[in-house]
Amino acid sequence: MSYLEIDSLHTHFTKRSANPFSSKTETIRAVDGVSLTVQKGEILGLVGESGCGKSTLSRTVMQLVRPTSGSITLDGCNLTDLPVSQIRRRRLDFQMIFQDPYASLNPRMTVFATLAEAIKQRHPKSRGSALSQRVAELMETVGLDPRLQRKYPHEFSGGQRQRIAIARALAPEPKLVIADEPVSALDVSIQSQILNLLKKLRADLDLTMIFISHDLGVVRYLADRIVVMYEGKIVEEGEAEALFRNPQNDYTKKLLAAIPSLAESH
Ligand SMILES: Nc1ncnc2c1ncn2[C@@H]1O[C@H](COP(=O)(O)OP(=O)(O)O)[C@@H](O)[C@H]1O
Ligand SMILES: [Mg+2]
């Protein structure tokens, strides 16, 4: 059995008609029958154009949205069977890194407060020097100087803020990290630094990760395996290099053609 198994997952939304006098509703099949697996220690790249359902898929895996049907099993535990009362604690096993670290970090919390809070989610009794030491360790892990722990998010650059967000994601010792377009808002030079950091963390910490991007070039740099999503469905799946060398699906070929040449320089 794989570490993460997603089986025939559907997440549909019901949308009211744009016409206020109509009672008609429309079903949006954001995730429309997705099955995939992730092995422990693997980085799965999930790629597809905006609106194809990538974020909805990750939100469903996190149990932030309940699926319409299908199942999600992590490390042998079927999450779709869990009672609501247990979901909160289970959610610690999944941590997300988002596109915009400025929006996802609390502007009123120092780096120390942010990381301490995230550590305490897993270890509520952690305090004192053990807590400080763990905060410093996490900062070092993501390449930040621990002496900056009393600073606030606005005192950092965009790349540094994303490092803080990554440290926060690691703090509760997740089983799976989902990075949803984590470098899309960053300058190109900073993008490669963050991608290198994720690559290093994966090697050092044996991270299991779903890395989401609309940019196949970025995904290629990091992913062992790539899944291509289109209109809520998986249209192609394969080992990263094989998929690049010999794409089968027309949509994958289109995505490949759209990669800016800078992707080669990562
Ligand atoms: N909460 C929601 N309610 C209704 N429709 C939604 C909701 N979330 C996403 N959608 C729709 O689902 C589709 C997939 O969106 P999303 O998962 O955000 O795609 P992506 O992350 O690939 O850009 C889009 O058509 C979007 O408008
Ligand atoms: Mg998205």
Side-chain angles (χ1 to χ4, degrees):
M1 193 176 203
S2 300
Y3 195 54
L4 176 73
E5 288 207 7
I6 297 176
D7 190 30
S8 313
L9 195 70
H10 290 258
T11 307
H12 298 171
F13 298 110
T14 312
K15 196 176 134 192
R16 293 212 17 223
S17 163
N19 176 352
F21 301 107
S22 164
S23 61
K24 273 195 191 148
T25 58
E26 187 193 333
T27 302
I28 298 170
R29 299 169 180 272
V31 177
D32 197 18
V34 166
S35 299
L36 59 82
T37 59
V38 185
Q39 309 303 326
K40 194 165 186 339
E42 183 181 44
I43 298 186
L44 180 75
L46 176 62
V47 69
E49 68 197 339
S50 173
C52 73
K54 305 181 298 295
S55 293
T56 304
L57 177 62
S58 61
R59 291 170 57 79
T60 312
V61 171
M62 294 278 299
Q63 303 287 305
L64 295 169
V65 186
R66 291 292 246 184
T68 310
S69 63
S71 70
I72 302 158
T73 309
L74 178 72
D75 203 8
C77 172
N78 185 342
L79 303 168
T80 33
D81 280 351
L82 281 180
V84 176
S85 59
Q86 283 185 35
I87 286 178
R88 234 181 106 89
R89 177 140 191 92
R90 275 287 162 174
R91 205 174 280 147
L92 279 183
D93 289 342
F94 302 94
Q95 291 296 319
M96 290 207 66
I97 303 164
F98 296 100
Q99 175 169 350
D100 181 357
Y102 205 55
S104 69
L105 293 170
N106 185 335
R108 287 185 198 82
M109 280 166 77
T110 62
V111 178
F112 178 86
T114 299
L115 297 183
E117 183 186 73
I119 293 164
K120 284 181 170 188
Q121 289 180 336
R122 180 71 75 186
H123 304 287
K125 293 198 177 105
S126 178
R127 58 171 55 82
S129 61
L131 182 61
S132 303
Q133 201 180 332
R134 181 70 184 130
V135 167
E137 206 176 275
L138 279 165
M139 289 183 76
E140 273 163 6
T141 302
V142 299
L144 286 172
D145 184 343
R147 286 174 301 186
L148 304 179
Q149 60 179 273
R150 298 291 165 184
K151 294 197 177 294
Y152 290 87
H154 74 266
E155 299 178 87
F156 292 89
S157 69
Q160 285 176 318
R161 280 199 286 267
Q162 196 56 298
R163 289 175 194 268
I164 301 170
I166 292 168
R168 183 185 54 182
L170 299 176
E173 298 153 31
K175 290 184 171 175
L176 178 75
V177 173
I178 303 180
D180 192 352
E181 306 267 8
V183 300
S184 304
L186 301 175
D187 290 347
V188 170
S189 59
I190 311 293
Q191 279 192 6
S192 36
Q193 290 175 17
I194 296 296
L195 290 172
N196 281 330
L197 170 64
L198 291 173
K199 208 170 204 177
K200 179 178 171 296
L201 291 178
R202 176 275 192 79
D204 293 353
L205 308 174
D206 198 26
L207 276 189
T208 308
M209 179 155 66
I210 298 180
F211 180 92
I212 300 175
S213 178
H214 65 280
D215 182 344
L216 196 46
V218 165
V219 170
R220 176 192 201 175
Y221 179 76
L222 211 58
D224 303 299
R225 231 159 18 94
I226 294 178
V227 162
V228 181
M229 204 168 162
Y230 180 70
E231 291 185 349
K233 294 183 165 72
I234 290 177
V235 293
E236 182 156 2
E237 180 178 354
E239 297 293 323
E241 283 314 310
L243 185 132
F244 256 82
R245 231 172 275 129
N246 190 17
Q248 300 297 312
N249 185 277
D250 283 346
Y251 179 66
T252 312
K253 289 176 191 167
K254 237 177 76 181
L255 285 179
L256 274 171
I259 297 177
S261 53
L262 90 248
E264 300 299 328
S265 63
H266 275 313

